[in-house]
Amino acid sequence: MAQVHAIEVAISCGAVGIELELCRSGAEAWARDTGNRVKIVSTPNDSNERLALYQQLFATGSKEIDVFQIDVIWPGTLADHLIDLRSYTKGAETEHVDFLVENNTINGELKALPWFLDLGLLYYRTDLLEAYGQQPPRTWEELTRTATLIQEAERSKEYPRMWGYVWQGRAYEGLTCNALEWLASQNGGRIVDENGSVTVANPRAAAAIDRAASWVGSITPPGVLNYAEEDARGIFQSGNAVFMRNWPYAWSLAQGSDSPVRGKVGVAPLPASGDGQSSAALGGWQLAVSRYSTNPEAAASLALYLTGAAEQKRRAIEGSFNPTRQSLYKDSEIIAANPLFAKLGPILKSVVARPSTTLGSFYSRVSAEFWQTVHTVLAGQETAEPALERLQGRLEALRRRR
């Protein structure tokens, strides 16, 4: 029965791909079930801009948003402004993957519920690789050769706009994810080690970043320096790229009825190099409730609904968003609707986490220094070795001042 006095709950939603649409429809379903109302607040897609907005709202104790969609790396940064959800979950958090629950638990309090899991993937054009007798690349060297081969051959025909490889090169958190994959896949570390000691200035890390810089203007458009996820997807899905690095959400869009590459896309682990192994950056988004909310019980109810099994299943089928509930990876309907999930098992084993747990609230400063440095190398302003040496010095100085 609908409540006599309906409560309005405001939730922030991302808008990458069909993310906003799915968030809206899920929240509206909760509203119908409870007799409450929802207000959808669209936030910037750029994660740095979104975090800055959240911090501005929290600094003023704003009641504008009740439920916040937060990045996997933010629970430690935003913990003081979020309620402990264990008062409302009745143990529901145990149904999610352990490492995300641990990630979201700060000083014994559950600050967010896992909503969907992300990891870096290599998308490729199955038709083009088949036409040129190529296999999905297992190393970055193979990717570079294959991308060059097909790009040049296609351009000599009737596709002058063809590029070999597109990814996220804008100076933002997405570049940290890409660059961390390059480093980890070449045994170049994760910026800092598990003790927080800075390790970024090493020959393997420098070689990985210099290789990526060599792609810019050759197999990758010069404009990649301003690309986020949707920019890369736009080029790939329009049929103008052989390979793309992106998150799982891009799969269902590439297979949509209006997609020029529908039925021509494959997915593989990101390449490795030398004696390294494939590494996929761990991403994902959680739902948290603001401590300034005037309706925390209703807000927690909405967060629990959206992270529930039925809603995660719907999002997996309609939007290829990876569930955080372990049981759903065995769901036959999900696998039948989206074969991508059958391929994710081996890739999940290659996940590499950003060092946010090690660094806590200090992580955002370290990441910003890292992606700014990598961006200067990609832009051709300097080579990786001296750039990483200077970065090492800055990070060590910051660490001493913590």
Side-chain angles (χ1 to χ4, degrees):
M1 180 180 295
Q3 298 179 359
V4 175
H5 300 291
I7 296 171
E8 181 176 83
V9 176
I11 178 172
S12 69
C13 298
V16 175
I18 62 171
E19 191 177 4
L20 183 61
E21 175 187 335
L22 290 178
C23 180
R24 184 187 306 279
S25 56
E28 289 175 348
W30 169 83
R32 289 192 297 272
D33 285 353
T34 61
N36 291 319
R37 301 189 305 272
V38 290
K39 176 183 177 182
I40 308 299
V41 180
S42 181
T43 54
N45 286 336
D46 184 293
S47 58
N48 300 320
E49 294 176 4
R50 191 183 304 188
L51 177 59
L53 171 63
Y54 287 0
Q55 290 174 319
Q56 180 181 357
L57 292 171
F58 285 140
T60 62
S62 172
K63 298 176 173 57
E64 181 180 343
I65 298 175
D66 300 286
V67 181
F68 283 81
Q69 179 180 336
I70 69 171
D71 200 337
V72 70
I73 57 175
W74 295 346
T77 300
L78 302 177
D80 290 345
H81 305 284
L82 307 173
I83 70 169
D84 181 5
L85 287 166
R86 281 203 172 92
S87 302
Y88 303 97
T89 61
K90 299 179 180 179
E93 68 274 13
T94 61
E95 299 171 13
H96 299 269
V97 291
D98 292 342
F99 60 83
L100 282 177
V101 175
E102 293 171 3
N103 178 82
N104 297 348
T105 301
I106 309 298
N107 296 326
E109 295 188 352
L110 183 65
K111 295 297 186 176
L113 287 167
W115 196 13
F116 61 93
L117 177 67
D118 263 342
L119 68 164
L121 299 173
L122 180 69
Y123 290 81
Y124 62 92
R125 287 281 300 277
T126 55
D127 57 329
L128 292 178
L129 265 62
E130 181 179 355
Y132 291 94
Q134 303 297 309
Q135 297 295 320
R138 292 175 296 177
T139 67
W140 293 113
E141 293 78 10
E142 289 178 4
L143 181 144
T144 302
R145 288 196 298 270
T146 302
T148 301
L149 168 70
I150 298 177
Q151 174 183 296
E152 292 180 353
E154 289 294 292
R155 286 184 176 184
S156 68
K157 296 178 181 178
E158 52 184 297
Y159 302 102
R161 299 171 63 187
M162 180 64 70
W163 287 97
Y165 185 38
V166 292
W167 35 280
Q168 296 77 48
R170 180 184 299 174
Y172 78 125
E173 184 66 26
L175 180 53
T176 289
C177 294
N178 279 255
L180 185 63
E181 290 164 347
W182 303 334
L183 267 61
S185 68
Q186 194 151 325
N187 289 332
R190 293 194 308 139
I191 309 171
V192 300
D193 64 19
E194 62 274 10
N195 298 314
S197 297
V198 183
T199 62
V200 72
N202 67 79
R204 291 177 179 270
I209 295 173
D210 278 334
R211 180 176 53 237
S214 74
W215 296 331
V216 180
S218 58
I219 61 171
T220 295
V224 75
L225 298 176
N226 290 312
Y227 284 8
E229 286 80 1
E230 285 293 82
D231 304 290
R233 184 179 69 85
I235 290 180
F236 182 81
Q237 192 167 315
S238 66
N240 291 318
V242 183
F243 296 106
M244 172 182 69
R245 184 269 180 207
N246 218 319
W247 305 102
Y249 86 95
W251 171 263
S252 62
L253 297 170
Q255 301 296 348
S257 59
D258 60 344
S259 171
V261 295
R262 182 182 184 184
K264 302 176 182 178
V265 177
V267 172
L270 287 162
S273 184
D275 59 353
Q277 63 179 11
S278 173
S279 298
L282 172 64
W285 292 85
Q286 335 294 309
L287 292 181
V289 174
S290 169
R291 64 175 292 192
Y292 311 110
S293 171
T294 55
N295 298 294
E297 184 173 359
S301 171
L302 174 57
L304 282 162
Y305 180 91
L306 292 177
T307 59
E311 182 62 12
Q312 287 203 3
K313 178 175 179 176
R314 182 183 76 91
R315 291 169 60 86
I317 292 174
E318 296 183 15
S320 70
F321 287 96
N322 288 348
T324 62
R325 290 171 170 264
Q326 296 173 338
S327 61
L328 293 179
Y329 283 92
K330 301 177 183 178
D331 189 291
S332 59
E333 291 181 309
I334 291 178
I335 294 173
N338 195 335
L340 171 66
F341 287 96
K343 301 180 179 181
L344 291 181
I347 301 176
L348 285 171
K349 297 177 182 178
S350 67
V351 163
V352 56
R354 285 164 281 176
S356 58
T357 300
T358 301
L359 295 170
S361 60
F362 190 55
Y363 170 77
S364 60
R365 297 180 67 186
V366 171
S367 180
E369 289 279 357
F370 179 62
W371 52 250
Q372 287 167 358
T373 298
V374 172
H375 195 264
T376 65
V377 178
L378 297 177
Q381 297 173 15
E382 57 185 332
T383 58
E385 183 178 358
L388 293 182
E389 288 288 350
R390 285 193 293 274
L391 173 63
Q392 177 105 4
R394 292 197 301 273
L395 295 184
E396 288 175 343
L398 287 172
R399 184 172 183 259
R400 289 192 294 270
R401 295 199 298 267
R402 285 181 67 183

